[in-house]
Amino acid sequence: MSHMLLEILAEEALKGNKPSSTFKAESFVKVASEISQKFNVQCEPKHVDNHFKTVKKEWGIITKLENKSDFGWDDCLKMITISKDVYDEEVKIHLNHDKYLNKKLDMYEAMTIVVGKDMATGNYTKSYVDVNLEENTEEQSISIENEGEYEETSRGKETSSSSAQKRQHRKRNCMYEDDGVEKLSKKIGNVAFVIQSLSKNQLDVNELFTEVMKIEGFDEITLGDAFDHLVQNEMLAKTFMAKNANLRKIWVQNLITC
C-alpha cells in the first residue's frame, strides 16, 4: 500500500497536482480510491494524508543523515553508507535509524518527487485540509476588502482620494508580489515540464532494452545487468531514456564501478 501511495502521488506531482507543499484534495481522493479497490480495504483521503505526513518525517530523517559528517552516499544503490564504528554509534543513540543505514532506501526516487522539494524549502506542515481552509479564508478576505472599499468610496472627496491612494499603493505591492510569484512559477513550471515529459507515458521495456544494448564499450552481460537494474526502477529508466548516448555510457560506467 505504501509503494502504491508513493507511486500515485509521484505521478500526481508530475501532473502538476502539487502546487505547494501538499497535494490537491483530488489527488488524495484518487490514492484512497485506488488503494481501496486494489487491496479490498476502506481507505479514505485522511488516511492518505496521514501516511503522507509519515513519509515527510522519514524523508526528514534521511536528509539529516545524508548531511552528517562521516556519512557517505551510494547514488547507484540509493544507500547511506557508513563504517561499522559510525553505525554502532548512530544506532546506539537512535535505534530507529537502523533501517536507513547501509541498506537500499526503498522508493527513494518517488520520495524525492513526492516530498523532497518540501523538505528543502522547509514547507512541509500543511495538509490538503489546510490548503482548502486557506482558500476559503482568502475568498472571505477579498470579500471584506471589497466591502471596505465600497464604504470608503461613499464618503467625501477627501476620503475618496485617500482611499484611492491606499488602493493604488496596495495594487503596487500586489504587482511586485505577483511578478515574483510569476517568475517563480515559470521556473518551477519548466522543471515540472521536463520531469512530466519523462513520466507521461508508460515505459516501453522493449525500447529500453534496444537502447541499452546499443551502448558501446561494454559486454552483453554488463549491459544486461544495467537493463535489469533500470527495469526495477521505472523513474530511473525514464531518466536514462532522456539522456544522450554519451551520458548513457557514463551512467553504465558508474553503475559497474559502484
Side-chain angles (χ1 to χ4, degrees):
M1 290 185 189
S2 180
H3 282 199
M4 188 173 186
L5 179 144
L6 282 171
E7 289 172 355
I8 298 175
L9 288 182
E11 292 175 359
E12 289 295 295
L14 295 172
K15 290 177 182 176
N17 291 331
K18 187 190 176 192
S20 59
S21 62
T22 189
F23 289 83
K24 294 181 179 179
E26 53 262 34
S27 296
F28 288 146
V29 172
K30 179 179 180 181
V31 175
S33 176
E34 295 198 18
I35 287 179
S36 297
Q37 292 178 12
K38 184 174 179 62
F39 297 98
N40 195 27
V41 296
Q42 186 175 355
C43 181
E44 298 179 6
K46 64 180 180 181
H47 300 145
V48 178
D49 188 25
N50 288 336
H51 192 74
F52 176 59
K53 292 174 181 176
T54 300
V55 173
K56 285 182 177 180
K57 291 178 181 178
E58 290 187 345
W59 183 257
I61 295 174
I62 291 171
T63 53
K64 184 178 180 181
L65 292 173
E66 286 177 334
N67 294 323
K68 274 193 164 186
S69 59
D70 298 326
F71 282 59
W73 174 251
D74 188 325
D75 194 51
C76 294
L77 298 177
K78 308 304 178 189
M79 176 191 299
I80 298 173
T81 57
I82 54 175
S83 65
K84 185 180 184 304
D85 292 340
V86 177
Y87 172 87
D88 291 340
E89 186 66 25
E90 180 67 26
V91 296
K92 183 179 179 181
I93 302 172
H94 304 286
L95 184 60
N96 65 321
H97 287 185
D98 168 74
K99 61 182 178 180
Y100 305 112
L101 305 173
N102 292 333
K103 297 175 183 176
K104 181 178 179 180
L105 297 174
D106 198 25
M107 302 294 290
Y108 181 85
E109 286 85 1
M111 291 178 70
T112 301
I113 297 172
V114 173
V115 295
K117 185 176 67 174
D118 296 341
M119 304 306 292
T121 59
N123 298 323
Y124 53 91
T125 57
K126 298 177 184 176
S127 69
Y128 77 100
V129 177
D130 296 327
V131 173
N132 289 339
L133 287 174
E134 287 177 0
E135 290 176 352
N136 291 336
T137 304
E138 222 174 56
E139 291 175 359
Q140 292 175 1
S141 297
I142 293 172
S143 176
I144 291 171
E145 283 185 12
N146 289 340
E147 289 176 3
E149 289 178 8
Y150 177 79
E151 290 176 359
E152 286 178 351
T153 55
S154 65
R155 296 172 187 172
K157 286 184 179 180
E158 184 179 349
T159 305
S160 178
S161 175
S162 176
S163 298
Q165 290 176 358
K166 289 179 181 178
R167 287 196 297 274
Q168 192 174 24
H169 178 69
R170 186 159 55 239
K171 286 178 182 177
R172 282 199 298 269
N173 289 339
C174 290
M175 286 173 61
Y176 296 142
E177 292 173 1
D178 290 344
D179 184 55
V181 171
E182 184 179 359
K183 289 180 180 178
L184 179 60
S185 297
K186 285 182 179 178
K187 290 180 181 179
I188 295 174
N190 290 337
V191 176
F193 176 78
V194 173
I195 299 175
Q196 185 174 359
S197 64
L198 298 176
S199 61
K200 184 170 60 175
N201 301 316
Q202 292 294 326
L203 176 67
D204 188 332
V205 178
N206 292 327
E207 184 183 1
L208 174 65
F209 178 78
T210 301
E211 293 300 318
V212 171
M213 301 310 290
K214 284 182 182 177
I215 302 175
E216 299 178 352
F218 304 98
D219 57 52
E220 188 176 25
I221 295 177
T222 299
L223 294 178
D225 290 340
F227 170 73
D228 291 338
H229 182 77
L230 289 169
V231 169
Q232 294 174 17
N233 192 313
E234 185 173 348
M235 187 59 64
L236 186 62
K238 290 176 180 177
T239 305
F240 172 85
M241 292 295 287
K243 297 178 185 290
N244 60 32
N246 186 47
L247 290 176
R248 290 177 181 180
K249 187 174 182 178
I250 293 173
W251 182 87
V252 174
Q253 184 63 48
N254 290 337
L255 179 67
I256 64 178
T257 55
C258 288

